[in-house]
Each structure stands twice: as C-alpha cells, then as structure tokens.
C-alpha cells in the first residue's frame, strides 16, 4: 500500500510504521491529529472511555489510512482510525466474510 521508500538517510522499510512520505514530504502519521494529542487518550484503561479519542479521529484527515494500517498490521491495542480493537476485529471479520 505505502510501499518501501528510502528516507534522507537511505533507510528502507519504514512503511511498517507508516513513515512513508507523501508529495509534501510528510508521513500520514505526521499529519495525524493524534500526533498532537496526549497518547494516553488513545490507549484507555480496560473499560475506560474511548469518546475523546474517537472525537479526535472524527476530525482527522488521515483517519482511513490510520485504520487501514491498524487492520493490515493486526494492531491489538488502542484507538486507530476511530475504532477500538473490538470494533476493528468486528470490521475485519465482516469484510473478510464478504470477500
């Protein structure tokens, strides 16, 4: 999806962390609103509220890329692309079943 690209130092394989740069020289993670927010919001305690994180995600321009990254990498913790781990699991199951 994002493919391997070399950074300024010649490193390859940074796509694993979503650091592949766009035409403006920024990775989707740098453009993500969560990069400007306390990370604790996106990793609530078990049973804790996900409301604040989901509100940030709802306004984020890279929400879809973030969600896709979490699905592709089987991310098991935190809020990614506006979905909790349980929601991502359900989403993946529904879309895998449809395919």
């Amino acid at each position: 999806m994002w493919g391997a690209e070399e950074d300024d130092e010649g490193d390859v394989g940074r796509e694993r962390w979503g650091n592949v740069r766009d035409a403006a020289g920024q990775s989707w993670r740098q453009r993500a609103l969560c990069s400007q927010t306390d990370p604790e919001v996106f990793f609530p305690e078990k049973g804790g509220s996900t409301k604040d994180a989901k509100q940030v995600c709802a306004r984020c321009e890279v929400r879809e890329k973030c969600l896709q990254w979490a699905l592709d990498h089987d991310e098991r913790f935190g809020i990614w692309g506006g979905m909790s781990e349980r929601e991502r699991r359900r989403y993946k199951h529904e879309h895998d079943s449809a395919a």
Side-chain angles (χ1 to χ4, degrees):
M1 168 173 240
W2 293 297
E5 290 184 4
E6 288 188 18
D7 66 8
D8 295 339
E9 303 297 323
D11 294 329
V12 178
R14 294 169 57 94
E15 76 281 357
R16 176 170 181 202
W17 303 109
N19 288 332
V20 174
R21 308 219 180 273
D22 65 10
Q26 290 186 317
S27 73
W28 66 263
R29 285 191 174 210
Q30 289 173 312
R31 294 189 332 265
L33 289 178
C34 61
S35 69
Q36 304 162 29
T37 308
D38 181 0
E40 302 254 341
V41 170
F42 299 92
F43 297 93
E45 296 286 329
K46 186 172 183 162
S49 175
T50 61
K51 181 181 175 185
D52 291 341
K54 288 180 178 185
Q55 286 178 339
V56 172
C57 293
R59 299 185 331 262
C60 187
E61 70 176 89
V62 296
R63 178 180 178 183
E64 291 179 23
K65 284 186 179 185
C66 177
L67 175 59
Q68 191 59 55
W69 187 91
L71 294 170
D72 290 347
H73 293 88
D74 198 27
E75 182 60 55
R76 297 187 187 260
F77 302 100
I79 306 301
W80 292 80
M83 290 188 184
S84 67
E85 188 247 339
R86 181 184 303 170
E87 292 166 329
R88 289 191 304 275
R89 209 174 32 236
R90 186 178 322 124
Y91 177 90
K92 192 169 186 173
H93 176 73
E94 290 171 0
H95 286 81
D96 286 348
S97 297

